[in-house]
Amino acid sequence: MPDSFETEEDALLRRLREGASGDTAARQLRRRYAQLRLDYESLLERLGDLEARIAEPVGQAPVPITAETESLSSSILGPLLTLRDQYVETLGGLQALVSGIEGLAAGAFKGQRGPASQPAPESTTDVPRSYEVGARASSFPALLAFEEKLAAVPGVGRVSIHAIDSDRATFIVELD
């Protein structure tokens, strides 16, 4: 491969000399090319030296573990291990929260109906004691805030989510 590389370089040099004989820019280009070629050869030599140094066996023995190095490692690793344990604990709580929300969403999607806001009477002779209320909001926290406001209305006994999706929810409002 070096032989074909040299012939390509020679051909390139020859074409350079033919195309720009006497031109100042071509002379600068030739000088720059020659300098780059020297730099390339120098880098190849340095790379060969580094590869040879890496191939040599290392004469140093590993540092023995003493009480001093052990206490240093435990003082460095102690807070990291505590942090890891806290992350594992938090992750477990977050996974439980996510699975609870997924269960809520799965149950809500199963019970979804068309557009709501019609009363759901408990009996045909009495005044209805629970109603379905439909609400739209831009986010899930806004729907939860609406549920809290609805529960704070005087005369409302309990508010529960009947169906929910990304921007709409149906609540069952039970009166006192």
Side-chain angles (χ1 to χ4, degrees):
M1 186 162 174
D3 192 28
S4 66
F5 185 74
E6 289 177 4
T7 59
E8 289 175 12
E9 287 179 355
D10 293 339
L12 182 63
L13 264 170
R14 184 175 37 80
R15 278 188 279 150
L16 244 170
R17 286 183 185 139
E18 289 172 0
S21 59
D23 191 35
T24 309
R27 280 185 289 192
Q28 288 177 346
L29 189 61
R30 276 192 296 245
R31 271 189 259 132
R32 183 69 184 137
Y33 176 78
Q35 183 62 40
L36 286 173
R37 188 172 179 184
L38 290 173
D39 290 345
Y40 174 75
E41 290 172 359
S42 169
L43 286 173
L44 280 178
E45 287 177 19
R46 288 179 60 193
L47 181 62
D49 292 344
L50 288 174
E51 287 175 345
R53 286 177 54 193
I54 289 173
E56 292 176 3
V58 179
Q60 295 179 341
V63 177
I65 297 176
T66 63
E68 187 176 294
T69 58
E70 191 172 311
S71 68
L72 177 63
S73 70
S74 66
S75 66
I76 291 172
L77 290 177
L80 293 173
L81 293 174
T82 303
L83 185 63
R84 182 202 60 192
D85 294 341
Q86 290 173 350
Y87 276 134
V88 167
E89 185 178 314
T90 304
L91 178 63
L94 288 174
Q95 286 175 339
L97 180 66
V98 167
S99 66
I101 290 173
E102 285 175 348
L104 176 67
F109 286 130
K110 286 180 185 175
Q112 273 189 344
R113 295 185 186 143
S117 73
Q118 306 160 355
E122 290 181 1
S123 70
T124 56
T125 58
D126 282 20
V127 176
R129 302 301 294 163
S130 68
Y131 295 91
E132 282 189 18
V133 177
R136 290 187 181 272
S138 60
S139 65
F140 184 74
L143 288 170
L144 292 179
F146 177 74
E147 178 188 16
E148 290 176 6
K149 287 179 184 176
L150 198 57
V153 171
V156 173
R158 190 175 103 183
V159 178
S160 58
I161 297 175
H162 177 68
I164 190 166
D165 65 6
S166 63
D167 64 338
R168 191 180 80 216
T170 304
F171 301 97
I172 301 293
V173 180
E174 297 177 11
L175 303 177
D176 284 335

